[in-house]
């Protein structure tokens, strides 16, 4: 059977192409998924453009997210016709990924769609929403409560950021959304932010400890922003470190940790253990589900528009979630 896929032909910049493939060209696995929707995450943008070393072999299909129905399976837990999703686990990194009409994966990666989530809903969350779910799980486990003070969300207009604003606000946290895009202020307030600031308006100071202003944070950008926020976090507050949009390095003193009991929580969605993965997807489809999912969709595109959108994402021109319609 012939199908369409975005394929990165070899290592290097701009090596992705829309191709026709045969099923037997896909990497092996126990479950074949007829894919309906995928999405574009920051990591996908790096893989598609070749600006980050995400794919481990070539040629390969990028795409760390996919949702659709099982087409063929040798595992009775995932029979043909079952609606399923896969995020992370190596999809679009060391296994042909979700930006294709068919996707073959090991059974252990497959999550039956929880609750009444449709494949499209599942991709509105995608890795971005699942990552926010891990943040909430770890923050709550480590006693983050609204009375510790507002939660800062950096890179707030992006996929992870916009979902984080809405979901933290739904759980009763006051949210300070930090975005470099002034035009996104109204949208972020509508998602539940109490305040929207530009990065330079945060005035993070330079002393090892500054006045307490925040209960904690979900940080998508890393670098000096992460360093600065840590100086302002309240006693026993937590900062979930998610991303590196502005840089992967940061420097810090131990003062917030040893004098205020502040914690940095590492968030790694790709290799999240299976039992926690299932628990988080249940919560995303239930208690943590934002009122509307459609408000997070910036664009719905076809496979032929993915390359251009990936470039836009890396130059900070996208907002929210970009869905890829595969049929
Ligand atoms: N740890 C994990 O498991 C995990 C999972 C998913 C994503 N991530 C990471 O989390 C980050 C967000 O991912 P995403 O898919 O939500 O991407 P995204 O939609 O592109 O969002 C990133 C946001 O960061 C801000 N940003 C971009 N470039 C920046 C720069 N040079 N300096 C400061 N801010 C910048 C922008 O927000 P504003 O314009 O509003 O400021 C942008 O919308 C990425 O770094 C990604 O690699 C990590």
């Amino acid at each position: 059977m012939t199908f369409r896929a975005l394929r990165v032909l070899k290592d290097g910049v701009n090596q992705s192409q829309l191709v026709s493939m045969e099923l037997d060209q896909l990497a092996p696995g126990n479950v074949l998924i007829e894919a309906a929707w995928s999405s574009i995450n920051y990591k996908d943008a790096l893989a598609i453009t070749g600006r980050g070393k995400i794919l481990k072999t070539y040629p390969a299909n990028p795409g760390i997210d996919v949702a659709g129905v099982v087409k063929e399976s040798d595992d009775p837990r995932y029979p043909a016709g079952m609606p399923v999703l896969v995020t992370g686990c190596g999809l679009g990194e060391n296994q042909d990924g979700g930006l294709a009409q068919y996707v073959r994966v090991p059974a252990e990666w497959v999550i039956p769609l929880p609750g009444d989530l449709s494949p499209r809903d599942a991709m509105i969350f995608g890795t971005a929403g699942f990552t926010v779910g891990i943040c909430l799980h770890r923050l709550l486990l480590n006693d983050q409560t609204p009375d510790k003070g507002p939660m800062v969300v950096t890179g707030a207009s992006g996929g992870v950021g916009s979902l984080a604003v809405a979901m933290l606000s739904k759980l009763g946290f006051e949210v300070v959304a930090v975005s470099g895009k002034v035009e996104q202020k109204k949208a972020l307030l509508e998602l539940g932010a109490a305040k929207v600031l530009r990065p330079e308006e945060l005035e993070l100071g330079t002393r090892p400890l500054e006045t307490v202003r925040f209960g904690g944070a979900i940080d998508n950008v890393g670098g000096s922003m992460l360093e600065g926020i840590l100086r302002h976090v309240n006693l026993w507050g937590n900062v979930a470190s998610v991303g590196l949009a502005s840089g992967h390095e940061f420097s810090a003193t131990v003062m917030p940790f040893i004098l205020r009991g502040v914690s940095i929580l590492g968030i790694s969605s790709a290799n999240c253990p299976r039992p926690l993965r299932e628990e988080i997807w249940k919560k995303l489809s239930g208690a943590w589900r934002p009122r509307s999912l459609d408000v997070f969709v910036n664009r719905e595109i076809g496979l032929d528009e993915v390359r251009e959108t990936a470039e836009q994402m890396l130059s900070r021109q996208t907002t929210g979630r970009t869905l890829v319609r595969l049929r």
Side-chain angles (χ1 to χ4, degrees), residues 42-245:
Y42 197 85
K43 201 185 235 182
D44 298 319
L46 292 173
I48 293 158
T49 58
R51 295 187 205 288
K53 182 100 184 88
I54 305 297
L55 293 164
K56 306 296 185 287
T57 56
Y58 301 91
N61 303 346
I64 63 173
D65 289 347
V66 75
V69 294
V70 174
K71 175 79 175 166
E72 282 170 22
S73 158
D74 65 10
D75 189 317
R77 290 173 299 172
Y78 312 111
M82 177 184 261
V84 294
L85 69 91
V86 181
T87 61
C89 297
L91 186 71
E93 292 192 63
N94 51 35
Q95 179 93 359
D96 282 320
L99 290 166
Q101 292 180 308
Y102 283 94
V103 178
R104 191 182 278 129
V105 292
E108 284 318 302
W109 298 4
V110 176
I111 303 282
L113 285 191
D116 65 352
L117 280 195
S118 67
R120 184 174 175 277
D121 293 339
M123 290 296 96
I124 296 177
F125 282 121
T127 284
F130 177 64
T131 300
V132 177
I134 303 177
C135 292
L136 295 183
H137 170 82
R138 296 213 66 197
L139 287 165
L140 297 175
L141 208 62
N142 219 29
D143 297 326
Q144 192 71 43
T145 46
D147 64 330
K148 287 197 166 90
M151 294 295 288
V152 182
V153 175
T154 60
S157 77
V160 175
S162 56
L163 282 151
V165 168
M167 288 158 72
L168 279 169
S169 146
K170 178 169 181 171
L171 293 191
F173 289 93
E174 183 182 332
V175 177
V176 176
V178 181
S179 174
K181 302 186 187 88
V182 268
E183 72 282 5
Q184 288 301 310
K185 184 168 183 170
K186 183 165 173 279
L188 288 166
L189 290 171
E190 281 169 8
L191 286 180
K195 204 185 269 182
V196 182
L197 298 175
R198 283 179 286 122
E200 54 276 23
E201 288 175 326
L202 268 179
E203 294 182 3
L204 294 169
T206 52
R207 293 179 296 175
L209 286 178
E210 296 280 355
T211 313
V212 166
R213 286 159 61 199
F214 311 124
I218 292 182
D219 175 51
N220 291 302
V221 306
S224 58
M225 181 80 84
L226 174 57
E227 178 187 338
I229 287 168
L230 284 168
R231 302 186 195 115
H232 294 267
V233 174
N234 202 354
L235 295 179
W236 298 93
N238 301 284
V239 176
S241 170
V242 172
L244 41 53

